[in-house]
Amino acid sequence: MLRSELLRIRTSRATAAIAAVVFAEAVVGGLVVSFLPGILKALIRLNDVIPNATQADRMSPETIDALRLGHENVQATVADPAGGFGLGFSAAVIGAVVLGAFYVTNGYRHGSIALNALVQPSRIRLLGVKAAALTITVLAACLPLVIVRAGILAFAAAAQDVGGTLGMADLAGIWLRGAGSLVLFGLIGLGVGFAVRSPVASLTMIFTVLLVESSLRPIAALIAGGVTPANYLPFGLSADAVRGPGLFSGMSFDSSVGTLAAGIVLVAWTGALLFLGARRFVRDDIPVSTSG
């Protein structure tokens, strides 16, 4: 049964679309972070040609210098397979959640979940098989992500004649934590899918939470400063759990909760949403199909 579930995920059009977006963002995001000081300086020079074309000239030379690839936190951001542009949210994290939700809800929409339940009457075992299939798929996708990010870091370091400040042990830790983070987000999506059952409703819920969190975090930081309860919302935890402060380490608006705390809270979010999804899956009847 596990083999058939792996085949179902691999042949899904949603999986292909998500993978394309995630890998495109990994390349673009990694390159932008790697060459960010040069990009910012080019934008500042653009203001000499087109007045007020960008706001880059408001950044101090010290801030731009802190974003050089030679700094350990910048290299950690580039190496992170779950990271984007270093701002907390990333296509990889969102993609893992959406993949987990679509994997389950498509089964409800097409009625295959009912056939699964006939083959494996134990709902908990069936949920375990689906969780295992999703975990294997996400881990398999993490290997090329790691290769892409490591290749970009090596290329950028060579192009800028920058030595590596991160050792292999540090890089391995970032890669492992990044893979673990994406697995947890995939399982969060799985829990949402089992709890909501509708693809449209699941997608709406995921992006509503993302929108609310992306608004609350900067507002809370502006009002209270430092770490606030908004820092413990799920989507932004990936950057903290994998690399800590990352790109903005030491800056005035750095509000990292720390790698250990972020990892614990992320596991708690995953457990809570899996519990809610499992509770409905075990207690409620399985419809033959559901639309929307």
Side-chain angles (χ1 to χ4, degrees):
M1 188 174 183
L2 177 59
R3 187 175 299 175
S4 66
E5 292 299 313
L6 288 170
L7 181 63
R8 179 176 288 117
I9 300 178
R10 190 173 72 247
T11 57
S12 169
R13 285 180 296 179
T15 302
I18 291 169
V21 172
V22 168
F23 282 100
E25 192 255 8
V27 173
V28 173
L31 289 173
V32 167
V33 173
S34 298
F35 296 95
L36 190 52
I39 294 172
L40 292 172
K41 290 176 182 177
L43 292 175
I44 292 173
R45 288 194 295 270
L46 180 63
N47 286 341
D48 296 334
V49 180
I50 306 174
N52 300 317
T54 73
Q55 301 298 315
D57 55 351
R58 296 188 177 183
M59 299 184 71
S60 67
E62 293 77 15
T63 300
I64 295 177
D65 182 74
L67 298 175
R68 288 188 300 107
L69 189 63
H71 295 289
E72 181 177 326
N73 57 301
V74 179
Q75 293 189 10
T77 300
V78 176
D80 180 8
F85 290 87
L87 299 175
F89 308 113
S90 75
V93 166
I94 298 170
V97 177
V98 172
L99 176 62
F102 271 14
Y103 169 44
V104 174
T105 55
N106 280 340
Y108 280 104
R109 185 160 65 94
H110 298 300
S112 61
I113 193 80
L115 298 176
N116 290 154
L118 291 176
V119 175
Q120 175 52 264
S122 171
R123 301 278 181 92
I124 291 297
R125 288 184 180 178
L126 179 55
L127 188 149
V129 169
K130 289 186 175 293
L134 180 64
T135 298
I136 292 171
T137 300
V138 173
L139 288 176
C142 282
L143 180 58
L145 270 180
V146 166
I147 294 173
V148 166
R149 287 290 192 156
I152 290 173
L153 180 58
F155 165 74
Q160 300 178 50
D161 194 22
V162 173
T165 60
L166 291 175
M168 280 307 301
D170 296 321
L171 287 171
I174 290 171
W175 294 335
L176 290 173
R177 290 192 298 273
S181 172
L182 291 179
V183 167
L184 291 175
F185 278 106
L187 294 176
I188 284 175
L190 192 83
V192 171
F194 275 118
V196 179
R197 297 189 171 188
S198 164
V200 174
S202 296
L203 197 61
T204 301
M205 178 180 295
I206 290 167
F207 280 95
T208 298
V209 171
L210 181 63
L211 180 62
V212 170
E213 181 176 340
S214 64
S215 301
L216 281 178
R217 277 177 173 265
I219 291 174
L222 182 64
I223 295 174
V227 176
T228 68
N231 290 94
Y232 294 98
L233 294 173
F235 281 102
L237 286 170
S238 175
D240 280 349
V242 176
R243 60 182 187 266
L247 193 62
F248 304 114
S249 177
M251 298 187 186
S252 58
F253 46 85
D254 171 27
S255 57
S256 171
V257 302
T259 303
L260 180 59
I264 292 172
V265 175
L266 184 55
V267 169
W269 274 111
T270 305
L273 287 165
L274 275 178
F275 173 78
L276 291 176
R279 181 183 174 88
R280 185 176 188 194
F281 184 52
V282 169
R283 292 193 172 192
D284 293 357
D285 291 335
I286 299 177
V288 175
S289 65
T290 181
S291 60

